[in-house]
Amino acid sequence: MALPRDIPCEEIMESLADGVFTVDTDFTITFFNRAAGDIAGLAPAEALGRKCWEVFHSSLCDRDCALGACIRDDATLSEKAIFIVRPDGRKVPVSISAAPLRDASGRIVGGVETFRDISDLDRLRKELQGVRTLEDIVTRNREMARHLDLLPPIAQSGATVLLLGESGTGKELFARALHNLSSRAAGPFVAVNCGAIPGELLESELFGHARGAFTDAKSERKGRFALATGGTLFLDEIGELPLPLQVKLLRVLQERVYEPLGSDKTIAADVRILAATNRDLEAMAASGAFRRDLFYRLSVARIALPPLRERPEDIPLLVATFIERLNLLREKSIVGVRDDALRILLRHDYPGNVRELQNILEYAFILCPSGRIGPEHLPDYLRPSPTTATLPDTTPHTMRAVKYAAAKAALDRHHGKTMAACRELDVTKDTLRRILEKGPGETGGKGDEEASGGRGG
């Protein structure tokens, strides 16, 4: 069907659901339709006259510009999946098609690119691969996925939430997700580390103070509760809160009011409280180190995050996620991790959890200029030393004995954790069990029935 001749081309492009933009040969944007603005997160007028890489910050901008290749090679590109970064920092997966733009005489005067948001398709693909995502949280772990299912209803409930888990497991990430998914998302998110502020200053930090409340209080000062009005206050390391302050926090939770230090003025606390700790609050409450009534007030909803060593299936996923983000931050083009380096990362116990893994990759980005991260780019403490890389001379030398010794050593290194030992040895749980049940056997010399095929059954 022929298009009506009286409809201008630009009006047609404005009516499309796909984003469309054009550039000249210097990659200055000359046209940007409404859909492009909706996907990219800015008004079309803000894009006109700017370089396309300044607007999109895509995963191709730094090293392999698709539009540039089409203009240079007089070629077309169809349905390439990339991502762009909006001004608010949100990454949007898109599918792009590009072609050279010609004038009436056929001369190339720029390029045209169309793109569509494929966030829903990307989310579906991850779900089919067993990956669960919510906010900035990604996981393949069943327990973590269960927590993600609970986050939206807990967030909407407005209940006080206690986040439990070792340092570095992502408690603040969960707290931010609870805030962003709640009816208070438009309000402020204020975080306080209760263990980083001296006890004598913490009351003023939380509740504010009146003028003259103490020697240096020359003026009135708002506290974190006031700053978080209409939003969420996240009290990290709540187990470090001194007992006198625990009483005041309990009153806020019960009566929704507080008084600044040195003031008799009562202020309404329009704040949702989220708390987190890496300590055993229940045991502290039993011993009297933490108020039992405050513990129960804080844990209306309780979320216990598993340490990274208990969710090894997430390590490759987190590695890929951190590499993608670090490429953007460091303007690099690291494409992944070599298999030998990944094996080292999978064997590690991660006492610092996800934060430690992130730090490891940030270190690797310093040493790795491009390509794939190898063992030589990892911190020294992760790599086995030459003296421990080989078995000592006292190790028994039959295959059965060697396998048994390796299995026992792996279990010792991982404090008896079977799955961690299996990952290091690259065997199944059943295989490890059989090796241990058979034992080392005789070390003096009839060979190994496993190595020779066994004796049946």
Side-chain angles (χ1 to χ4, degrees):
M1 182 176 70
L3 290 171
R5 293 181 179 273
D6 58 345
I7 300 179
C9 181
E10 287 192 6
E11 288 192 18
I12 294 172
M13 288 195 287
E14 286 288 5
S15 69
L16 296 176
D18 287 356
V20 181
F21 73 96
T22 60
V23 298
D24 60 20
T25 52
D26 291 326
F27 300 98
T28 299
I29 295 175
T30 55
F31 175 78
F32 204 83
N33 75 345
R34 282 190 294 270
D38 291 341
I39 298 170
L42 76 169
E46 296 179 60
L48 294 176
R50 296 171 63 187
K51 302 298 184 185
C52 55
W53 61 78
E54 295 176 345
V55 171
F56 292 107
H57 305 284
S58 87
S59 50
L60 296 182
C61 284
D62 291 331
R63 64 186 186 277
D64 188 22
C65 173
L67 196 52
C70 291
I71 296 172
R72 182 186 65 243
D73 302 333
D74 191 8
T76 60
L77 174 78
S78 296
E79 301 296 327
K80 183 176 181 65
I82 65 167
F83 64 84
I84 61 174
V85 182
R86 291 162 53 108
D88 60 7
R90 179 186 154 212
K91 289 187 296 185
V92 181
V94 296
S95 175
I96 65 169
S97 299
L101 189 64
R102 303 176 187 276
D103 62 13
S105 65
R107 182 171 59 95
I108 294 178
V109 293
V112 58
E113 184 173 305
T114 65
F115 59 101
R116 65 180 57 180
D117 186 345
I118 56 171
S119 297
D120 290 339
L121 289 174
D122 189 57
R123 193 176 300 112
L124 177 60
R125 175 180 59 79
K126 286 181 177 179
E127 287 178 4
L128 290 173
Q129 292 174 346
V131 177
R132 291 294 312 278
T133 64
L134 186 67
E135 295 290 308
D136 287 331
I137 305 164
V138 295
T139 188
R140 284 194 177 96
N141 178 265
R142 184 177 299 176
E143 185 177 355
M144 286 288 286
R146 184 174 62 83
H147 291 324
L148 294 191
D149 288 338
L150 293 173
L151 272 187
I154 291 176
Q156 286 296 319
S157 72
T160 305
V161 182
L162 179 61
L163 295 158
L164 303 170
E166 296 178 9
S167 292
T169 48
K171 298 186 290 294
E172 183 165 348
L173 200 62
F174 267 73
R176 289 185 180 276
L178 285 165
H179 170 72
N180 292 338
L181 295 167
S182 75
S183 60
R184 293 177 172 265
F189 176 89
V190 177
V192 183
N193 188 326
C194 299
I197 303 171
E200 61 272 16
L201 300 178
L202 190 53
E203 182 176 357
S204 171
E205 191 68 30
L206 290 175
F207 302 112
H209 61 250
R211 181 180 179 181
F214 48 87
T215 304
D216 293 326
K218 301 190 186 306
S219 61
E220 182 179 302
R221 181 180 183 274
K222 288 184 176 181
R224 301 296 181 96
F225 271 91
L227 295 176
T229 298
T232 302
L233 180 64
F234 174 51
L235 300 175
D236 199 5
E237 302 304 341
I238 191 72
E240 308 298 327
L241 199 67
L243 281 168
L245 276 185
Q246 292 180 27
V247 177
K248 296 199 171 190
L249 179 59
L250 180 62
R251 185 189 176 205
V252 176
L253 289 169
Q254 288 176 333
E255 302 176 21
R256 314 306 297 181
V257 295
Y258 67 92
E259 286 95 29
L261 183 63
S263 171
D264 57 3
K265 182 172 64 174
T266 300
I267 300 174
D270 179 18
V271 172
R272 182 191 193 173
I273 295 175
L274 307 177
T277 184
N278 58 8
R279 302 181 67 178
D280 187 345
L281 278 197
E282 198 160 9
M284 290 177 66
S287 68
F290 197 87
R291 290 187 64 96
R292 189 183 296 273
D293 47 4
L294 178 58
F295 168 67
Y296 288 119
R297 279 284 182 177
L298 289 171
S299 54
V300 174
R302 203 181 309 182
I303 299 175
L305 302 183
L308 187 55
R309 62 182 172 274
E310 293 179 9
R311 38 186 282 224
E313 63 272 42
D314 280 351
I315 293 173
L317 177 62
L318 290 167
V319 166
T321 300
F322 288 140
I323 287 176
E324 186 177 288
R325 292 176 185 173
L326 287 167
N327 275 328
L328 285 172
L329 291 172
R330 303 288 177 83
E331 298 184 345
K332 281 196 170 186
S333 54
I334 306 298
V335 296
V337 176
R338 294 206 320 251
D339 288 346
D340 49 356
L342 184 59
R343 281 195 293 272
I344 292 172
L345 294 175
L346 287 169
R347 283 201 300 264
H348 187 52
D349 264 355
Y350 296 100
N353 292 292
V354 179
R355 187 183 296 123
E356 182 185 359
L357 177 58
Q358 184 174 4
N359 291 342
I360 288 168
L361 291 169
E362 287 181 359
Y363 176 85
F365 259 66
I366 296 171
L367 300 185
C368 184
S370 61
R372 292 185 180 274
I373 293 170
E376 67 274 16
H377 304 127
L378 300 177
D380 290 342
Y381 75 89
L382 289 177
R383 289 180 271 150
S385 65
T387 56
T388 60
T390 57
L391 291 171
D393 291 337
T394 55
T395 301
H397 294 297
T398 66
M399 183 63 71
R400 176 171 164 181
V402 168
K403 285 184 176 182
Y404 179 80
K408 290 289 289 181
L411 280 171
D412 288 344
R413 278 192 295 276
H414 295 286
H415 312 294
K417 294 182 175 65
T418 303
M419 291 310 298
C422 289
R423 291 197 305 278
E424 177 178 338
L425 298 170
D426 196 22
V427 298
T428 66
K429 200 172 180 179
D430 287 340
T431 299
L432 181 64
R433 178 181 52 77
R434 285 197 298 271
I435 291 171
L436 294 170
E437 285 176 351
K438 287 184 177 181
E442 297 295 329
T443 60
K446 289 189 177 181
D448 174 32
E449 63 190 54
E450 270 199 303
S452 61
R455 291 189 292 241

